[in-house]
Amino acid sequence: MARKNLWSKNKESAEQAGEFTASQQRYLDDVARAWEEFAAQSWLFDISGDLQEWARTWLPRELADSTLAEVEAAKHRGQLPALPAEPVHFIESLIVKAVRDGVVVLPAPGRLARSFAHRDPVGEYQIASGYGLYVDGSDVLVVRAKSAIMYEDLGCVAGRPLKGAAAVERVLEQIIGTMQSVRSFNRPRPPIGL
């Protein structure tokens, strides 16, 4: 009886190792395809039209002189029905709306969102965000900006915060600006069985 249990445990371990090896091979194949796709495309992100005029079409008049933080607070209070409820992050909802409305043009179908952050070396809190395109149809390819945007610079020109539609325009220009120089990033492989 003990031999049978030992044999079945060894067989089970061998099957798990085989599944792991097959899963690893699929992942490596996905990574190879992602690198080929990354190398075959130019990854040009574009702004099509006047972002400030676009923002004025959906931004309520009472927010015309509001800071970016005030516009974000209005979104979270539900006062900006033009912005999608998902994603919850304000800047990402701006991106989603801009892509849907055609004023931001992505080089491939996907989702442009935060993909990395820089942290303060002492306090360990986030001080900047970098954005990346999570490419549809790929489990591993994220086309990431080579640089991040400091939070204190977001929506500002020469250290001065802009307001209303001008702030919205500046934020999108900053994000698309960082996407003019990109690098590939392979998403981490999820654990087997998930």
Side-chain angles (χ1 to χ4, degrees):
M1 186 76 154
R3 280 187 187 266
K4 184 176 182 183
N5 286 341
L6 182 61
W7 180 82
S8 65
K9 284 183 182 180
N10 287 340
K11 182 179 177 189
E12 185 177 305
S13 295
E15 288 171 357
Q16 287 174 344
E19 289 173 19
F20 177 78
T21 303
S23 174
Q24 283 294 99
Q25 187 57 54
R26 280 191 302 276
Y27 174 72
L28 293 174
D29 292 344
D30 288 346
V31 169
R33 276 192 299 279
W35 275 108
E36 288 172 11
E37 182 178 353
F38 180 77
Q41 197 156 335
S42 60
W43 303 106
L44 296 176
F45 294 77
D46 196 21
I47 294 172
S48 173
D50 185 343
L51 287 174
Q52 204 169 127
E53 188 58 41
W54 165 78
R56 282 191 197 104
T57 64
W58 56 265
L59 195 63
R61 288 181 197 250
E62 60 269 13
L63 293 175
D65 279 337
S66 299
T67 65
L68 199 59
E70 292 166 335
V71 174
E72 180 176 3
K75 188 238 189 225
H76 291 298
R77 287 191 303 267
Q79 297 171 333
L80 289 175
L83 289 181
E86 293 292 328
V88 173
H89 188 264
F90 170 65
I91 301 298
E92 291 180 17
S93 66
L94 285 178
I95 296 168
V96 167
K97 178 159 180 54
V99 170
R100 284 182 187 163
D101 292 351
V103 294
V104 168
V105 181
L106 304 178
R111 181 177 55 89
L112 183 58
R114 291 179 298 170
S115 68
F116 64 97
H118 292 300
R119 296 188 176 276
D120 175 78
V122 176
E124 288 292 316
Y125 53 88
Q126 290 185 8
I127 57 173
S129 278
Y131 290 79
L133 175 65
Y134 293 80
V135 179
D136 285 352
S138 176
D139 290 334
V140 293
L141 181 60
V142 180
V143 178
R144 290 176 29 166
K146 284 189 177 178
S147 61
I149 303 167
M150 298 293 290
Y151 292 142
E152 62 192 30
D153 296 334
L154 199 59
C156 296
V157 172
R160 302 186 113 163
L162 298 175
K163 294 186 176 185
V168 170
E169 173 187 38
R170 181 67 179 145
V171 165
L172 292 172
E173 285 176 344
Q174 288 173 304
I175 292 168
I176 298 304
T178 64
M179 296 303 295
Q180 298 312 305
S181 181
V182 296
R183 59 193 165 124
S184 174
F185 176 78
N186 297 321
R187 285 186 237 178
R189 186 185 160 297
I192 293 177
L194 294 181

